[in-house]
Amino acid sequence: MTSAKGFRAVKGTRDLFPPESEIYAAVEDIAREVFSSWGYGEIRTPILESTELFARSVGETTDIVHKEMYTFSDRKGRSLTLRPENTAGVVRAALERGLDRLPRPLRLWYTGEQFRYERPQKGRYREFRQIGAEMIGVPGSAADAEVLTMLFDFLRRLGFADLSVTLNCVPAGAARESFASALREHVRPHAARLGEDDRRRIEENPLRLFDSKDPETQSALAEAPRTLDFLDAAAAEHFASVKRMLSEAGIPFTESSAIVRGLDYYTVTVFEVVSAGLGAQNAILGGGRYDNLFADMGGPGLPAVGFAIGEDRLVEALPRDPRAARDLWYVLPGSAAEFAYATLVAREIRASHPGAIVETDLSGRGFAKGFSRASQLLEGDGHAPFRVSSVRVVSVGSQEKEAGTVKVKDLSKRTEETLPLSSLAGQGALR
Ligand code: HAM
């Protein structure tokens, strides 16, 4: 609905303008560079999926499915949901394409919008972005170690120096059932003190109690049985091996039995990375192994492990600007009569200086104002889309146009020279 003030973005959604959008793009470019160097190709799956997909994978009794999904009926009455996460879509897509038509192991990464109906606050949005990777088809601990090592290569490329990953191992299969029963027995005596949702969880899915923010539930969970005491021999050996490999790879980690993750599909390894700088919403990313998900979704049993980074939180926590600094050429016509010549000059420079930004001043304000705008860009205008390492003003007045020349002033080096236009095309002539 319009208000007197006009249209506004939907609560919990945001517009990203430059330079912020350029910072997101730089982070995504670095993700592509790092992940592709590990053999991961990008997958793009639809934002819309059937509601049933998430109920089956993320789990009916999770907060996400129970109360955070954007679900609606389309015109034919099908129940559709804006994806709250991307792993379910990747698994669905791989099964639908046919696993025999895909490489094995299947290494994929993705980036894109996700939607969860949560109470918006700093670092928590209703539309947010994730950057994730999934490694499908390798059962051994080397796959867990690979995704975590790749993840840290990416985080270090962005300048994060002191993050560490918190690991846990959750029991799967029969061991999970025993853990769930032990947890149920432990919490039942406290049930009367707990909220309705958590009382329901005790019976339906006691592992989900760990997601509860209710202090009563938290205190009921103190002294609760620990996941690590319920691991079978295979899971315990897998976990020990993951930790050995991470130590060898120099990836800092700690263990915490409190991490069970808010999604039902995890088996064995689970992990999170938190950043102190982010306040209450401090999980930058989460992930783990999901060895039963393919089978649960009707496919063959196929082991997999992956992670998703909350891109918005990552950007908020960035220790440095990820954008590469670029040379800026500011082409400045003396008046409207030189616009066409200026455009020609700008195109010459673009062609001969790949990677440079070449901007033409179309204001017709004359040289003095144009020069002061160019100096602003050198000093770092907070609204400029790009990070600038040098600024050259290329002034073209009637004389230059006549003579087929340009006047180039390097604002940082404070040098000036007049050159024939033809020399711009010669590589490096102006450097
Ligand atoms: P998740 O822990 O639900 O896992 O989400 C991963 C990350 O997304 C979180 O750590 C957080 O940084 C970010 N995130 C979640 N909700 C919000 C929000 N409302 N606003 C901003 N950021 C948010 C998954 O989604 C799994 N699919 C990860 C995975 C991939 N596991 C295996 N493969």
Side-chain angles (χ1 to χ4, degrees):
M1 288 294 115
T2 38
S3 69
K5 290 193 200 121
F7 289 107
R8 317 198 112 236
V10 170
K11 185 173 177 187
T13 71
R14 297 175 306 150
D15 303 303
L16 300 180
F17 277 87
E20 205 186 356
S21 50
E22 294 294 333
I23 291 174
Y24 275 69
V27 165
E28 290 154 22
D29 287 348
I30 294 170
R32 178 185 304 279
E33 199 185 310
V34 173
F35 299 163
S36 68
S37 79
W38 285 73
Y40 288 66
E42 186 189 0
I43 183 168
R44 301 189 189 195
T45 66
I47 287 175
L48 269 183
E49 297 274 3
S50 72
T51 303
E52 179 62 18
L53 175 70
F54 301 109
R56 280 272 287 282
S57 55
V58 174
E60 205 85 65
T61 51
T62 57
D63 276 352
I64 296 176
V65 173
H66 190 56
K67 49 188 181 200
E68 294 172 0
M69 295 207 304
Y70 279 90
T71 296
F72 58 94
S73 301
D74 74 1
R75 288 173 189 276
K76 286 270 167 61
R78 304 174 190 95
S79 181
L80 301 180
T81 291
L82 299 180
R83 64 183 180 200
E85 62 99 55
N86 221 146
T87 307
V90 168
V91 171
R92 192 238 352 106
L95 287 172
E96 190 172 341
R97 172 64 57 105
L99 293 167
D100 50 348
R101 296 175 58 200
L102 293 165
R104 181 88 61 94
L106 182 56
R107 292 181 166 97
L108 297 169
W109 78 277
Y110 51 81
T111 173
E113 286 73 19
Q114 319 292 330
F115 300 83
R116 296 184 194 178
Y117 194 87
E118 294 192 80
R119 201 163 49 76
Q121 61 180 80
K122 184 175 152 54
R124 191 164 72 194
Y125 308 100
R126 290 183 173 172
E127 183 197 42
F128 60 99
R129 294 146 196 88
Q130 286 186 338
I131 298 177
E134 313 289 353
M135 154 55 139
I136 296 161
V138 176
S141 50
D144 312 43
E146 173 173 298
V147 295
L148 280 163
T149 309
M150 177 173 86
L151 171 64
F152 270 74
D153 274 4
F154 173 58
L155 294 173
R156 285 171 180 163
R157 264 293 297 278
L158 293 173
F160 289 98
D162 39 44
L163 290 178
S164 89
V165 57
T166 312
L167 294 176
N168 192 20
C169 187
V170 294
R176 194 187 191 89
E177 287 308 313
S178 331
F179 177 62
S181 319
L183 205 54
R184 197 175 279 128
E185 293 312 313
H186 177 83
V187 184
R188 260 188 197 141
H190 307 273
R193 289 195 279 127
L194 309 188
E196 190 191 333
D197 272 358
D198 287 346
R199 280 207 304 277
R200 189 173 46 81
R201 283 165 157 166
I202 299 177
E203 301 312 319
E204 287 180 358
N205 192 351
L207 266 74
R208 293 276 67 85
L209 288 166
F210 285 102
D211 306 337
S212 172
K213 281 152 201 110
D214 183 346
E216 292 288 357
T217 308
Q218 303 267 352
S219 88
L221 287 172
E223 318 277 304
R226 287 160 25 100
T227 46
L228 294 180
D229 297 329
F230 287 80
L231 301 183
D232 56 33
E237 170 45 32
H238 182 95
F239 193 47
S241 170
V242 171
K243 289 187 285 183
R244 274 197 303 276
M245 286 193 213
L246 292 182
S247 299
E248 277 170 35
I251 308 298
F253 64 86
T254 52
E255 285 178 60
S256 165
S257 59
I259 293 186
V260 294
R261 312 268 303 117
L263 304 92
D264 272 350
Y265 50 63
Y266 291 111
T267 52
V268 198
T269 317
V270 288
F271 56 83
E272 278 176 6
V273 171
V274 302
S275 165
L278 286 174
Q281 300 305 316
N282 58 4
I284 292 194
L285 64 93
R289 200 165 251 294
Y290 47 98
D291 288 345
N292 298 334
L293 185 53
F294 275 88
D296 289 347
M297 286 180 35
L302 200 56
V305 53
F307 62 79
I309 304 168
E311 187 178 1
D312 309 80
R313 294 184 191 175
L314 184 78
V315 166
E316 271 158 48
L318 280 175
R320 63 175 185 232
D321 191 333
R323 295 171 301 167
R326 294 162 70 181
D327 294 328
L328 175 78
W329 298 74
Y330 197 76
V331 180
L332 181 55
S335 73
E338 287 83 40
F339 279 171
Y341 182 59
T343 303
L344 176 76
V345 169
R347 293 179 70 197
E348 284 292 359
I349 304 173
R350 279 184 203 106
S352 55
H353 295 81
I357 300 158
V358 187
E359 202 176 305
T360 310
D361 188 322
L362 296 179
S363 69
R365 290 174 299 194
F367 288 133
K369 289 211 167 113
F371 265 98
S372 74
R373 171 68 189 140
S375 327
Q376 256 178 4
L377 289 168
L378 180 64
E379 283 149 20
D381 168 355
H383 301 293
F386 308 109
R387 195 151 76 82
V388 163
S389 47
S390 72
V391 176
R392 292 180 183 84
V393 180
V394 183
S395 33
V396 288
S398 55
Q399 273 180 0
E400 283 79 17
K401 182 181 158 189
E402 198 78 4
T405 59
V406 293
K407 206 185 272 174
V408 180
K409 184 166 185 181
D410 186 318
L411 294 190
S412 2
K413 292 193 190 137
R414 298 170 185 280
T415 53
E416 189 173 42
E417 50 188 337
T418 300
L419 298 161
L421 176 56
S422 59
S423 74
L424 285 174
Q427 275 294 331
L430 294 175
R431 289 181 176 264

